[in-house]
Amino acid sequence: MNITVCIKQVPGTAEVEIDEKTGVLKRNPIDAKMNPYDLYAIETAVRLKEEKNAVVKVITMGPPYAKAVIKEAYMMGADEGCLLTDRKFAGADVLATAYALSQGITRMGDFDLIICGKMTTDGDTAQVGPEIAEYLQIPHVSNVRRIHEINEKSIIVEMDMAESVEIQEVQLPCLITVEKDIYQPRLPSFKLKLKTANRPVQIITFKDLDDKNVMHYGLYGSPTQVLRIFPPEPNTTSEHWEGDGEELGEKLAEKLKELKFV
Amino acid sequence: MAKIIVHQDAIKDRKEVVKVCPFFALEYENDELILNAACKMCNICVKRLPEVFEYVEDTLPEIDKNAWRGIAVYIDHIEGNIHPVSLELIGKAKEMAVRIDHPVYCLVMGDKVHDMAEELLHYGADEVFIYDKPQLYDFRIEPYTAVFENFINRVKPTIVLVGGTTVGRSLAPRVAARFRTGLTADCTTLDVQENTDLDQIRPAYGGNIMAHIHTPNHRPQFATVRYKIFNSPERSETKSGKLTSCSISDEFLISKINVIEIKKKEKLKSIEEADVIVVAGHALRKEEDLSMINELADMLGGMVATTRPLIEAGWTDPRMQIGLSGRTVKPKLIITCGVSGAIQFVAGMNSAEMIIAINSDPKAQIFDVAHYAIIGDIYEVIPRLIEKLKEFKD
Ligand SMILES: Cc1cc2nc3c(=O)[nH]c(=O)nc-3n(C[C@H](O)[C@H](O)[C@H](O)COP(=O)(O)OP(=O)(O)OC[C@H]3O[C@@H](n4cnc5c(N)ncnc54)[C@H](O)[C@@H]3O)c2cc1C
Ligand SMILES: Cc1cc2nc3c(=O)[nH]c(=O)nc-3n(C[C@H](O)[C@H](O)[C@H](O)COP(=O)(O)OP(=O)(O)OC[C@H]3O[C@@H](n4cnc5c(N)ncnc54)[C@H](O)[C@@H]3O)c2cc1C
C-alpha cells in the first residue's frame, strides 16, 4: 500500500505584526517550521505503515529550503520525499497549489491513500486537501478524527461533524484530511535522523510535470489575488474600572441589570 | 494577471534587499535576485523598494462578467433544520444583490427537503432550487458536488456563498476546483462592486492579519463564511419568491462512499448558539473553582466556555473551547474571567456584541477588545457579583 502525505512549511510563529502606515509585516526572519497540523497527518501514515506494511511518501510544494520539512518527516518514519519547487509555482493560491500538488503526486507514482493536515497556520484555508482530491478525481473525507480499519480496497473513517460523528467507508484510492486529535504525533527520532541523513529528496520542477501549460501554475493559475493585508482593527470603545474587588462585583451586577442581562 | 519585475541595477545593498520580503521569497540565483516559490504577490517589496521592484500587469483575455447573474447561497441543514449560518448568508446576499440589481438564489439538496425549502421564502430568497433525492440523504462528497455543479451550470450565479460548517468547508473547495475558480475562506467582510467583483476580507495567520482578496477574472466567485459573522434577516410572515424543483440523473449520484452510521455526540448545546457566555481562563487555581463560573453562567442564563489551557488540563470538554483551534462565537454578552486575551483566543470571540473582561493585570491584552475592562481579582469580583445578582432575583 502507498500512502502519500502532503506537508507544508510555515512561519515559525503566527505572531506577525503589521506596520499600520506602510502595511508591511514586522517580522524578524525566524525559523520556518513544519505546519503543526501536518504532524498528525504524518503520524497517521506512519501508524498505518506499522500496521499494514505500507510505503509512506511525503510531498511538499515550496521554496528550496522547504526541503527541511521532508527531512523532518524522514525522522518520523516517512520512506520517500519529494520537493515540488519552481519559480513558476510562485504566488499560487489554493487552486494552483492543489493543481501543482496533484501533478506532483501523480509524478511520484501510485497512491492508495493521500493524507492532508486539517489546515495550515499561515494561509489557514483548509481547502487544499479537497481541491487535490477533485483534481485527482478521487473521493475525499475531511475532518477525520479516527480510522477504524483499512484494507486493500477501502478505509473506514470517522468524520467529525459539529454535533455528530459520521462513520464512512470509502473506496481506495481516496484522500482524507485529519483532525489534530487523531493520534499523538511522535517526536523526530535521533536514530532515524542518523539513518536517513543521506536519504535523498526527490526534486520535481515544472519541466517534470505532465501538464506544461504555465497558465495552470503559480500566479497565472490562481483565480484569487491578495490585494492588501492589514492588521485587525482594535476596539476603541472601552471603559476601565479599577478599585476594590467587592465594589467592582457590585458595580458589574448593576451594569448587567442596566444592560438587561438580568 | 500581474507579476513583479526585479531591476537588478537598482539594488544598492545586496544583503539588505533580501530582508524586505517577510515570506523569504527573495534569493539569489546565479547572482541574480529572483522571487522564488514562496512569493505571495503581497507587493510588500514593491511598496518598500519601488526602485527595485516593479509591479506589472499583463493583459489577459477577460471573461464576460455579464454572463453570470445572481448571488447563490448553499443551504446547509442538519436533520431537516436549516443551519442558521445559511440564513445569515441569505441576509448578506440580499444586501449585496440590491447594489447590483441581481436576484438571490438558494440551493437546497437532500432527501425530503421540500418543506424546509419553502421556509426559505420567508427570508427573501427570489428563487429556491431544490434537488430532492434519496441518494442525497447523507452528505457524501461526489453526489453533493455533482448536484452543485448541475445547479451552477443551470443558473450561472456570479457569487456563491457557503457556510463554513464541516459540510460547507468540504464541499465548497471541491466545487470551486471543478469550476477552476477561486474560493476565499472564512470571510468576515463581503462587499460587491458595480462590476460584480466581490471584495472579500478574511483573517489569516491565526487572526494576526487580515487579507483583502479579489477574484477578478473568474466566475463564480466562491466564499465561505463562518456561523455568526453576519446577522440573520428577520423572518417575514408573508412568503415571496418561488420554488423550482430540479432533476438530476441517477448516474451522477453514484458514490464510492458508504455511510455506515451516524453517531450523536452526547447532547451538549453548542456554545455557538448561546447568547451569553462566561469564559473561565487559566487564572482558575483548581478544577473545583469552575463551580463559581458555572453559577455565574446559570444566573445569566448562559453557557460556560474556556480557554485552551483548561481543555489541556482536562478540566473541560474541547467543545467548550473558544478560539482559533476552537469555536467562533458571537454572543450578545461574553464575560471573560482571568483570560489574558491571546490572539488565538480573541480571534474566536472579538465579534461578540458586548465584551466584559475581568483580569487583575491592567496590561492584559484582553482589555484591548473589552468594552468594560474590570481590573480586579476574579476571586473577589465574581463571588460578590453572584451575591448581588441573587439579590436582584429575589
Ligand atoms: C493572507 C493570505 C490569505 C490567503 N487566503 C486565500 C484564500 O482565501 N483562498 C485561496 O485560494 N488562497 C488564499 N491564500 C493563498 C494560500 O494560502 C496558499 O495558496 C497556500 O498555498 C495554500 O493554502 P493554505 O495554506 O490555506 O493550506 P490549507 O488548505 O489550510 O492546508 C491544508 C493541508 O493541505 C496540505 N498543503 C497545503 N499547502 C501545501 C503545500 N504547499 N505543500 C504540500 N501540502 C500542502 C497540507 O497537508 C495542509 O495541512 C492566502 C494567502 C495569504 C498570504
Ligand atoms: C496555533 C494555536 C492555536 C491556539 N488556539 C487557541 C484557542 O482556540 N483558544 C485558546 O483559548 N487558546 C488558544 N491558543 C493558546 C493561546 O495562545 C493562549 O495560550 C491561551 O488562550 C491562554 O489562555 P488564558 O488566557 O486562559 O491563560 P493565560 O494566558 O495564562 O492568562 C491568564 C490570565 O489571568 C490573569 N489572572 C491570573 N490570576 C487572576 C486572578 N486571580 N484574577 C483575575 N485575573 C487573574 C492573568 O493576569 C492572565 O492575564 C492557541 C495557541 C496556538 C499557538
Side-chain angles (χ1 to χ4, degrees), chain B residues 135-154:
Chain B
Q135 295 98 313
L136 299 172
Y137 180 75
D138 288 314
F139 167 66
R140 287 174 306 167
I141 194 65
E142 315 100 304
Y144 269 59
T145 309
V147 168
F148 218 133
E149 178 186 8
N150 186 285
F151 164 76
I152 289 174
N153 284 331
R154 172 178 179 146

Side-chain angles (χ1 to χ4, degrees), chain B residues 269-284:
Chain B
K269 196 180 128 193
S270 71
I271 54 172
E272 284 119 313
E273 291 164 46
D275 284 335
V276 175
I277 297 177
V278 182
V279 188
H282 201 195
L284 281 197

Side-chain angles (χ1 to χ4, degrees), chain B residues 244-295:
Chain B
T244 303
S245 289
C246 307
S247 60
I248 181 165
S249 99
D250 286 345
E251 66 187 289
F252 295 110
L253 303 181
I254 296 165
S255 174
K256 291 188 171 150
I257 298 174
N258 173 25
V259 176
I260 298 177
E261 190 190 347
I262 298 180
K263 287 194 298 194
K264 271 248 137 309
K265 287 188 190 166
E266 58 275 33
K267 195 68 190 163
L268 191 141
K269 196 180 128 193
S270 71
I271 54 172
E272 284 119 313
E273 291 164 46
D275 284 335
V276 175
I277 297 177
V278 182
V279 188
H282 201 195
L284 281 197
R285 298 190 192 119
K286 47 188 195 307
E287 193 171 351
E288 297 80 73
D289 297 346
L290 270 170
S291 61
M292 162 173 95
I293 306 293
N294 283 324
E295 194 177 358

Side-chain angles (χ1 to χ4, degrees), chain B residues 73-212:
Chain B
V73 176
Y74 170 74
I75 304 299
D76 203 341
H77 50 93
I78 348 172
E79 291 171 9
N81 299 312
I82 301 166
H83 194 295
V85 70
S86 304
L87 298 179
E88 294 167 2
L89 292 179
I90 295 176
K92 190 61 178 182
K94 275 169 50 182
E95 210 182 292
M96 294 194 293
V98 171
R99 207 157 312 153
I100 50 174
D101 194 24
H102 276 214
V104 171
Y105 301 128
C106 292
L107 165 61
V108 181
M109 60 180 96
D111 182 28
K112 304 191 178 67
V113 287
H114 198 275
D115 291 351
M116 195 183 66
E118 198 156 347
E119 173 66 13
L120 294 165
L121 299 178
H122 291 281
Y123 290 90
D126 293 299
E127 191 166 356
V128 179
F129 294 83
I130 311 169
Y131 291 81
D132 209 336
K133 285 271 195 179
Q135 295 98 313
L136 299 172
Y137 180 75
D138 288 314
F139 167 66
R140 287 174 306 167
I141 194 65
E142 315 100 304
Y144 269 59
T145 309
V147 168
F148 218 133
E149 178 186 8
N150 186 285
F151 164 76
I152 289 174
N153 284 331
R154 172 178 179 146
V155 172
K156 295 215 175 310
T158 186
I159 293 169
V160 179
L161 305 179
V162 180
T165 59
T166 311
V167 168
R169 288 163 70 86
S170 181
L171 181 59
R174 187 97 197 191
V175 182
R178 186 156 297 180
F179 285 89
R180 309 288 188 258
T181 187
L183 166 60
T184 305
D186 297 333
C187 299
T188 52
T189 306
L190 289 174
D191 214 337
V192 70
Q193 297 181 13
E194 244 167 70
N195 71 353
T196 70
D197 278 2
L198 186 62
D199 283 307
Q200 306 157 109
I201 295 180
R202 64 168 297 242
Y205 287 78
N208 285 284
I209 68 172
M210 304 299 289
H212 180 179

Side-chain angles (χ1 to χ4, degrees), chain A residues 6-8 38 61 92-93 97 117 120 125-128, chain B residues 183 202:
Chain A
C6 299
I7 58 178
K8 184 184 184 186
D38 295 343
M61 181 177 103
D93 72 352
T97 300
T120 63
T125 64
Q127 293 172 177
V128 168
Chain B
L183 166 60
R202 64 168 297 242

